[in-house]
Amino acid sequence: MSGSALDSVQEMLAMIEDFERNISNNMPSSSSPSSRPPAHEEQKYQSQAANVNLPAVLLNTDVPLDVAFRPQLPRGHTAYSWTYSNIYIPSKPKPAKKQQPKQAAKSKQKGEAKTSKRSEKKRKIIPAKMMKDGDRDDSKQNFERRDRLCSVEKQVQSEWEKAKVFEAKVEDGRPKFFCTFPYPYMNGFLHLGHAFTITKAEFRAGYERLKGKNVLWPFAFHCTGMPIAAAAKRIAEEAAKYGNPPNFPKHSELDAAAMEHGHSKQQSKQSKAKYQWEIMKEFDLKDSEIGRFADPYQWLQHFPPIGMRHLKEFGLKVDWRRSFITTDANPYYNKFIEWQFLKLKESKKIEFGNRPTIFSPAENQPCADHDRSSGETVKPQQYTLIKLEVVTDFETPFVKKNGDKLSSLYSMGKKIFMVAATLRPETMYGQTNCFVLPRGEYIAIEISKDGVDEIYICSEHSARNMAWQEFTNKTGEYKVLCKLEGWDLLGRALKAPNAVYDRVYVLPLTTIKMDKGTGIVTSVPSDAPADYAALKDAKNDKDFRDKYYLSDEMVMPFDVVKIIRIEEFKSDQSAVDLCEQRKVKSQNDTTKLDEIKELVYKYGFAQGVMLVGDFKGEKVSVAKEKCQRQLVKKKLAEYYYEPESTVMSRTGCKCVVAFCDQWFLKYGIQEPDDYESKENDWQRAVKRHIIEDLECYNKQTKDSFESVIDWLHSWACSREFGLGTKLPWDKEWVIESLSDSTIYMAYYTIAPYLQNGTMDGSKPKVRTKPSINPDDLTPAVFDAIYCKGDIDQLDLSNSSLPKELIKKMRHEFEYWYPMDLRVSGKDLIFNHLTMALYNHAAIWPDQSKTRWPQSYFTNGWALMDTQKMSKSTGNFLTIEQCVKLFGADATRFALANAGDTLEDANFETDVANAAILGLTRFENFVEETYSLLGTTNANYRDGDLNEMDKLFDNAIDRAINETDNAYKCMRYRDVLRFGYHVLQKNADYYVAHVNNGIHRELIQRYIDVQLVLLSPICPHITESIWGKIHKLNDFCVNASWPQSKTEDIIRTLQFESLQKISHNFRDAYKSDDKDRKRKLGKAKKGSEEQKKYAKEYNGAVVCVADDYKPEQKEVLRLLAQIYNQETNELTVDNFKAYILEKSTFGGDNSGNNAAGGGGKGKKKKKKLSREQQEQLQFAAYIVKEIMPERKQETFNETLAYDEYEFLTKNMELVFHEIPVNLSKITFYKESDANAPKNIREKTKVGDPTVKFMFVE
C-alpha cells in the first residue's frame, strides 16, 4: 500500500478519536480517503491522534453513528474487520483440561499461543447468510453499509439491463475495441481466481468505453472435454454401487476404495468431499437432484446459467446476447467447429499418426491439459533406454551370502538387461559403472519387441510406461517375472554399450528417485559430477565397499574416461576438474554438485566436442541424436518416454506416455534439419507475429511466447471419450477441449444471429424471428462470412439463411475483428494462447494485422490474504460469496488492488472491507457537497482560481493523465493509486486547507473526474452518484473521459511538498511541545527554567536547503543507472551496497562488505565516512519516499523551483492548524551562516527542518 494511503489511514483513525472527544464542536468541512493499514502497523495508527478535521457530514445529528466510529474495538478486531460482513472469525480456543496447579498457568499460556497461531494460520470466512446469533452483537450495523451498496448495485444493474447498455452494435466509422476472456469450464461455480483474471478485461473494456470506443465484451461457457463426462460417470457408478441416494461406507473403508480408483491415501485425506455425489452437494444440490447429473448434458443445462447470473451480480459489462455453450449440445457452435477443422485439414495442418502422448490408463485415452487435475503443460520426455546386459556367469559377494533371485530367469534362455534411461546417449563411451538404489524396489519383466523376447530389470514406474509403448505383448500390461531389491543387484557384472571397459559393475547411489526414469543410472564420471563423487567415495572408503558387498576389482581399476572437450573449461574431463577446483569432498556436497552439473551440461551441449567414437570431432549438439540413432539401430538401446513430471487425470489416475493412433495438429517445427522448409512456414509466420506485432504488456510474457513457439510441437487434437464436437470426417473421434477453443472469438461476432437468445441455440418459447436450421450453416456459408467467400455463388434455394443475413454476419465479423485484447492466466501461454495464434494464422493466412489477436495480457495466480486458495482449508470464495460478503464494487476494488504482474497476486479481504467504507464516505461527501453548492454557504465561492485552487486543479490533471496511462498499460493497482488514493488525498487536503472557501466549479470538476476514473472498477456506486447529481438520461459508463491539460510538474512538486512539509511540521510541533511540557514538569518551582518552559511555543525557525549536496547528486546519478522506468523499480536489490561500491566519497571501499568482529580469519568492517553515511540515508529516503510517486523525475539533479521562495509565500498553508504566530517565524537558507547549526545539518531538498520555540 502506498505511503500516501497509509498517511490517509493514520489521519482517519486520528479523526475518529478527535470526533469522540469533540462531538459537540463545530469543525470545518473536510474529507479523507479510506485505505487499510498493514496489520503490523495498525496498533500504531490507532494509538496516534492528529489535528485533522472531520467531514461535516459526520457532524450532522441525523446521520447514525455506527460502530465504525467508536475507538473501542473488540479484542482481535480492527475498525474495518469489526464493522463489516467479513469476515474472518477467529476460532475459539478449546476448553483446557484440568491440570495440576503448578502447570496450569504455563499450560494456559501455551494453549493461548497455539490457539493464536492456529487462528492466524487457518481462519474461516463466514458469509452473511451463515452468520448466527451471537457471532456479532452488532450484526445489523455490521452489514448496514455493505447491504446498502448491494441494493445500489442491484438497482443499477436493473437500469443497465433495461436500457441494454452493453449490447454492442456495429457503428461504421466509430473506433471499436474487442476483448475476450477464455471461456471458463462449467463443472461448478466460478470463483475468485476466475474473477481476478476476468477483471483484467472488464476494467479495460470499461476504460475503452469512456475513451469513446465501441466496445464488444462477450462471454461464453466451455463444456468440451473429459471432466464433465468423467464426473457424470462417477455419479452413475456411485448410484449403482451405493444406491440413489447413496449410502456411502465409513472413512476407514474409503481409503481402500480411493486407492482402487487411482487416488493415493494422502489425496483422499486432503479432500473433504470423498465422492462425486458429496461434491455436488457443495453446489447446493439435493439428493433428489444429483442423480440427474449422471447425464453429462444435465451439467450443461445447470451450471452455465448459474455462472451467467453470478457474473451479472458481479457487474460484468458484457453483451450477454452473444453467450453460448460448447459441444454438440449447441448445434450452431458445433457447425462452426466442424468448419474450422475442415479448413485445417484442407490446408494440411492436421494429419493422422502414431505419436507419444500423455495418456490416462483409467480412461484409456490421451489426457490433454484441460483433462488433468495436475501436470498441465507437462509433455512427453524422450529418453534413450540403454540396455546393460547382465553377465550370468558371475557370482557377487551378496549372492554368495544371500542367494540369487535371478536364478529362476537363467533357464528361460533369454538375455537379461538392466535398462537405464538417459538424456545423454553421447556420453556412453565414458561409462565406468552403473548405479542402483540399495533399498529401491525393482522388477524383472518380460519384453517382446520387434520379434525378440528379452528380460528387463527396471522400476515398476518405468515398466508401467513401457507397457503402453509396444514393449510388451499386450498393450497396457506387463508380466512380472520376479521382484528384487537394489541389494540383489549390487556387484553384478554388466556389458555396457559403447563403454571402453569389457565389464562394468553395479554400485550403490542413495540419491536415485524411483519415480523418475528406470531407477537404474549409468555412470559417466568424466561429465557427471555426482557420478565422479560417488565413484571417488567408493574408491577411497574400504568400509563403504565392505558394507555394500563390493570387491576391489569392482571399483579400483575403473578410471575416468575422457570423452568430451569443453573449451570453456579447457578440459577433457570437465566434471572431474570442476569438482577438484571447487573442493567437492563427497557425494553429499549436493549444492556444489548441482551447480557443477548445470555448468557441465550447459556448456557440454553448446560447446562440447566429441573426443571418441564414430562421431569424434563433431559437436555434442550434433552427435547426440546420431549416437542415439546408432545405439537403437544396433539394438543396444531403445526409445523410451515418460511424462516430464507427474500428471494426474481428473479421475485421479496417474498418467503415462502411450503411443496413440490419432489426429494431430502440426504445430511447431516439422523439418528440424531444414528450417526454411515449406513445412515450417506455419511456425515461422506465428513466430514473426509474436516478435513484431503481438503486444504482451510485459517483457516476461513476450519472452515466454518466444520460447513456447520454439518447443510446442504436434498436438493430439482428438479423443475417444468426453463431450465436444466430432471430427466431421471421422465421427469416432471427439475434438478435445484445447483444440475447439482457438478461434471461437470469431463466433462471438455472429452469435446473436444464430443462438436464438439461448446458450445452447434452442428455440425460445416466444419466437421473435425465424429460426435458422443449423444444417444450413455449410462450410461454404462460413467461408462467405469469415473468408470473403462469394455470397452470390451460394445455393440458398432450400436454405433458412437469407442472403442479406449472411451479408450482415460478414459485416459484423469484419467490423469487430481482429480481437484487440485477450486476457488469461499465465499457464495458458504454454498451450491455449499459442494455439490460438496458430489457428488464426491457419484460417486467415497472411492477415496478421487484420485477423490475428493483437494483444495478450497474462497474470499470475490469485492468492487470498497471502494464502493459496483452497476449499480444504476454507480459504476459498466463489464469485457469488464475494458479492454477498463485500458487494460487487468492493470486491472489484480489492481485485484491482491485488496485482498486475506474472507474480502471484493477493486479494485482501481487508482492502475489500476498507473499500466499503471508502466508497460510502465518498458518496456522503458528494451528497453533502451538492446539497450546499446551490446555497449561499460561506464555505463555497466562485470567481478566479487562487493559488491553492490552481495546485488542486493541476493535481486533478495529473490524476487524469496518470490514470489514463495506467489503464492503457493494464496496471490497475496504479489506477487505484493515482485515480483514487492520491486524488482523494489531494482533495482532502484542498478542502481542509483552502482559504476563503471551496471553489464551486473546481470541486464539481473533482467529483466528476473521480466518478469517471473509478467507473470501470466500481461502476455501480459511481453510476448511482452520477445519476443523482447530473439527472441525465445517459449513464456514467458511457461518459467521456475527462479533459485534462498537460501536468505542470512545478505545481505538482509544490503541492506534494506542501502537504508533506505541513504534515511534518505538525508532527514536529507536537514533539517539541511534548518535550517542552516534559522539561516544565521537571523544572523547579519558581526557577528561570520553569518560567522559560511555561511559555507556550508561538514561533519557529525553519531552514531550507539551497540545492543537493555533491554526495547527494552522486546518489541520484547512481540510482538512475539502476532504475527501470517500465516497472518503477531498481534493478539491483541491495542498492545500498551498490552505492557504497560506486561511491567516490570515503576513499577505499573494498572492506565495506567484509564481516565484522574480531574472530580469527575475519576482516574488520571498515568504518563508513560521514559522507557515505549521509549517502545511504539519502538513498533510502529517495527510494522509499520519493521514487514511488515521482518515478523518473526523482533523479533530476537540479531543483525544479525555488523551495525557499515558495514556502515563505505560503506560510499560512505550511503552518495550517499549528498554533503559532506567522510573524514570529524566521526562514533561513542552508547557505545562510546565521542559520542555527543544529537544524541546518539536518535539512535536505524537499525536507526542510523546523524548530519551534517561544519568541518574545
Side-chain angles (χ1 to χ4, degrees), residues 338-347 783 787 843:
E338 287 183 354
W339 166 76
Q340 174 192 351
F341 270 75
L342 287 170
K343 295 288 285 185
L344 292 170
K345 192 168 188 291
E346 179 186 318
S347 60
D783 280 343
C787 299
I843 304 300

Side-chain angles (χ1 to χ4, degrees), residues 44 204 241 254 295 421 542 561 596 604 664 826 901 1250:
K44 176 181 72 175
R204 181 70 182 273
K241 187 173 182 179
L254 178 63
D295 176 4
K542 187 176 187 308
V561 180
I596 296 169
F664 286 86
K826 62 183 179 182
T901 69
V1250 63

Side-chain angles (χ1 to χ4, degrees), residues 353-568:
N354 185 284
R355 306 286 176 86
T357 307
I358 303 293
F359 186 89
S360 170
E363 284 74 45
N364 196 36
Q365 70 168 8
C367 187
D369 282 9
H370 285 184
D371 300 327
R372 305 172 189 176
S373 62
S374 66
E376 275 200 60
T377 76
V378 172
K379 307 182 301 298
Q381 173 72 65
Q382 186 192 69
Y383 291 87
T384 307
L385 197 66
I386 304 298
K387 298 166 64 175
L388 301 149
E389 186 177 354
V390 177
V391 178
T392 57
D393 61 357
F394 179 82
E395 191 174 43
T396 69
F398 183 86
V399 167
K400 288 178 182 179
K401 181 177 180 181
N402 299 284
D404 192 353
K405 288 188 178 180
L406 296 183
S407 59
S408 62
L409 307 180
Y410 300 155
S411 60
M412 296 179 68
K414 300 175 183 178
K415 288 186 177 181
I416 303 171
F417 296 95
M418 292 176 62
V419 288
T422 182
L423 296 172
R424 306 192 68 199
E426 75 282 3
T427 65
M428 293 304 99
Y429 298 102
Q431 293 178 87
T432 59
N433 59 279
C434 171
F435 291 122
V436 296
L437 182 67
R439 292 293 182 190
E441 295 179 354
Y442 297 86
I443 56 175
I445 62 172
E446 204 167 43
I447 297 295
S448 181
K449 193 168 179 64
D450 300 328
V452 178
D453 292 338
E454 297 171 332
I455 297 172
Y456 283 2
I457 297 173
C458 59
S459 64
E460 188 139 17
H461 159 83
S462 57
R464 188 166 174 264
N465 278 274
M466 289 181 210
W468 291 96
Q469 296 171 28
E470 302 175 354
F471 280 89
T472 59
N473 283 320
K474 192 170 183 180
T475 301
E477 297 181 10
Y478 54 92
K479 183 179 179 181
V480 178
L481 302 175
C482 70
K483 294 185 177 182
L484 308 158
E485 210 176 29
W487 286 94
D488 297 303
L489 301 173
L490 290 174
R492 299 272 181 182
L494 307 171
K495 295 179 182 179
N498 285 354
V500 299
Y501 296 105
D502 293 332
R503 293 184 178 186
V504 298
Y505 295 89
V506 181
L507 306 185
L509 186 64
T510 57
T511 57
I512 291 175
K513 296 178 179 178
M514 297 301 292
D515 60 351
K516 191 75 174 172
T518 64
I520 296 167
V521 179
T522 59
S523 175
V524 184
S526 61
D527 289 81
D531 295 355
Y532 172 67
L535 178 61
K536 188 177 177 183
D537 287 351
K539 284 189 173 189
N540 293 342
D541 190 344
K542 187 176 187 308
D543 291 340
F544 177 89
R545 297 196 296 275
D546 292 342
K547 175 183 177 181
Y548 290 105
Y549 297 89
L550 303 175
S551 62
D552 287 355
E553 67 174 310
M554 299 174 182
V555 180
M556 304 308 290
F558 295 90
D559 296 324
V560 173
V561 180
K562 299 176 181 179
I563 58 171
I564 295 173
R565 171 74 177 180
I566 302 179
E567 196 58 37
E568 178 73 18

Side-chain angles (χ1 to χ4, degrees), residues 1101-1107 1109 1112 1170 1174 1228-1245 1247-1251:
V1101 291
V1102 180
C1103 187
V1104 184
D1106 300 274
D1107 194 3
K1109 300 173 184 176
Q1112 292 174 333
R1170 180 182 62 81
E1174 290 181 358
Y1228 294 97
K1229 291 187 177 181
E1230 185 184 10
S1231 56
D1232 191 334
N1234 295 320
K1237 184 178 179 181
N1238 62 329
I1239 64 171
R1240 184 175 60 195
E1241 292 178 346
K1242 296 179 182 179
T1243 194
K1244 53 180 175 279
V1245 172
D1247 191 14
T1249 312
V1250 63
K1251 181 65 179 175

Side-chain angles (χ1 to χ4, degrees), residues 689 693-695 742 745 817-822 833 836-837 840-841 848 851-856:
H689 179 66
D693 300 323
L694 186 66
E695 171 60 58
T742 52
M745 313 85 184
Y817 244 61
M819 178 174 59
D820 298 289
L821 168 68
R822 187 161 181 80
L833 294 176
L837 293 175
H840 277 81
S848 64
R851 292 293 179 263
W852 303 6
Q854 298 300 292
S855 77
Y856 280 155

Side-chain angles (χ1 to χ4, degrees), residues 63-82:
V63 178
L65 299 173
D66 69 6
V67 292
F69 296 98
R70 297 177 189 168
Q72 299 300 318
L73 306 179
R75 183 180 177 187
H77 292 279
T78 70
Y80 301 95
S81 67
W82 182 41

Side-chain angles (χ1 to χ4, degrees), residues 1143-1170:
S1143 173
T1144 60
F1145 292 85
D1148 180 20
N1149 299 321
S1150 59
N1152 287 337
N1153 295 323
K1160 187 177 180 181
K1162 293 183 179 179
K1163 295 181 181 179
K1164 186 176 181 181
K1165 186 174 181 180
K1166 187 168 182 176
K1167 187 175 181 180
L1168 301 179
S1169 67
R1170 180 182 62 81

Side-chain angles (χ1 to χ4, degrees), residues 129-241:
K129 67 178 183 179
M130 296 170 58
M131 292 283 281
K132 300 177 181 178
D133 293 339
D135 285 337
R136 286 284 187 274
D137 293 334
D138 40 23
S139 59
K140 182 177 179 180
Q141 288 181 319
N142 285 338
F143 304 126
E144 184 178 342
R145 281 196 184 86
R146 185 217 52 198
D147 289 347
R148 190 193 166 282
L149 289 178
C150 287
S151 67
V152 166
E153 289 162 3
K154 290 177 182 176
Q155 180 182 350
V156 167
Q157 289 166 10
S158 175
E159 292 172 359
W160 284 340
E161 189 164 1
K162 183 179 179 181
K164 300 180 179 179
V165 175
F166 306 121
E167 290 188 5
K169 297 179 176 62
V170 170
E171 296 182 38
D172 292 327
R174 182 182 175 188
K176 61 88 184 177
F177 183 79
F178 176 24
C179 63
T180 64
F181 164 85
Y183 41 28
Y185 196 76
M186 294 314 298
N187 59 345
F189 295 161
L190 300 178
H191 55 70
L192 191 62
H194 290 112
F196 174 62
T197 303
I198 288 170
T199 56
K200 302 304 182 185
E202 165 74 2
F203 297 158
R204 181 70 182 273
Y207 162 75
E208 295 292 349
R209 293 178 70 88
L210 299 172
K211 296 294 284 187
K213 291 185 180 177
N214 192 12
V215 174
L216 174 56
W217 170 210
F219 205 95
F221 302 93
H222 202 197
C223 305
T224 302
M226 197 165 66
I228 287 176
K233 182 181 177 183
R234 286 198 296 273
I235 290 174
E237 290 172 347
E238 289 167 7
K241 187 173 182 179

